[in-house]
Amino acid sequence: GSWRFTHSKLRDGILDDIQAEEIQTLHKQTAEAKITHYKGGEGHEAAIAQHWEKAQELEKAGDWYFKAAQIARKAYATATSVEYYEKASQYIPDTEESRPKQLQIYGLGQLYLWQSQIDRAETVVKKMKTLAEAQNDEVAVAKALIRLCDISRDAVQYEQVVEYAKQVEELCENSTQDMSSLKVDALAHH
């Protein structure tokens, strides 16, 4: 059956008597039930992530925190989005399959910038750039460099802005891909 508690003390007392393994199983079952009941978990992404986390299903928790972060970002809930992206970055594995998510998580740099956390923004975006370079993803490298231009501008480091913009231009000119819109962004930073 289902449990409903009127008083938190009663709930806490019962939970204290349940073994950790049982609690993990209950969290796993709760996450699965929410996914089934709410059409793939729609609208309950953060709660599902928390249940997976408490069930010690950390890769699944990472996926759901990632979904919750994207939704929060679209709703302009910057602080919540940052929190969920940070959680997702802890749990999403370092595999070829998860690289696209890892690169998107480093969009967290923009969120830090919006919060005037310039040092954190720079650290995250530099990680994104390194990851993109390792994958030979020229577009992601250029986007990271443009984000670094923005960060440097906000930090009043104008010489660095110009340096990053030149790197984007050079990357765009030597690329086999059409990166003309990124080149325009770089030129706007001169």
Side-chain angles (χ1 to χ4, degrees):
S2 66
W3 296 358
R4 293 199 184 269
F5 299 99
T6 308
H7 300 286
S8 61
K9 298 274 187 213
L10 178 61
R11 181 194 67 228
D12 293 344
I14 291 172
L15 289 176
D16 286 344
D17 292 338
I18 299 175
Q19 297 297 322
E21 190 174 301
E22 289 178 85
I23 291 174
Q24 288 178 350
T25 299
L26 290 171
H27 280 293
K28 179 180 179 181
Q29 291 171 345
T30 303
E32 290 169 343
K34 283 183 177 277
I35 293 167
T36 301
H37 183 74
Y38 295 109
K39 300 179 185 174
E42 188 175 318
H44 298 269
E45 292 81 2
I48 292 168
Q50 292 165 352
H51 285 295
W52 283 127
E53 184 176 31
K54 290 175 182 176
Q56 295 299 304
E57 299 267 353
L58 301 181
E59 192 170 336
K60 289 179 181 178
D63 287 339
W64 284 92
Y65 276 123
F66 180 79
K67 291 174 187 179
Q70 290 180 310
I71 290 166
R73 185 175 182 171
K74 288 177 185 170
Y76 299 100
T78 306
T80 302
S81 184
V82 165
E83 175 188 346
Y84 294 152
Y85 274 129
E86 286 175 344
K87 287 272 199 175
S89 70
Q90 293 174 27
Y91 300 137
I92 291 179
D94 187 17
T95 62
E96 189 67 34
E97 178 180 291
S98 64
R99 293 282 190 263
K101 280 185 186 169
Q102 289 176 337
L103 284 172
Q104 287 183 41
I105 287 171
Y106 289 119
L108 179 58
Q110 182 63 47
L111 297 173
Y112 284 139
L113 189 58
W114 288 343
Q115 294 180 329
S116 298
Q117 296 183 39
I118 293 173
D119 291 340
R120 291 180 87 180
E122 183 177 28
T123 299
V124 167
V125 174
K126 283 183 175 179
K127 285 181 184 177
M128 174 192 168
K129 180 178 171 282
T130 300
L131 179 63
E133 288 170 339
Q135 292 183 303
N136 294 315
D137 185 338
E138 294 174 329
V139 172
V141 171
K143 287 180 178 181
L145 288 166
I146 290 169
R147 187 73 39 84
L148 287 168
C149 284
D150 295 335
I151 292 166
S152 297
R153 182 198 59 231
D154 285 7
V156 193
Q157 297 172 343
Y158 299 117
E159 290 175 6
Q160 193 63 54
V161 172
V162 172
E163 180 58 36
Y164 286 133
K166 286 180 182 177
Q167 289 178 39
V168 175
E169 287 180 66
E170 184 179 314
L171 184 63
C172 292
E173 288 171 10
N174 296 325
S175 178
T176 57
Q177 300 181 52
D178 178 17
M179 295 176 35
S180 54
S181 65
L182 295 172
K183 187 174 181 180
V184 169
D185 283 347
L187 292 170
H189 285 87
H190 275 277

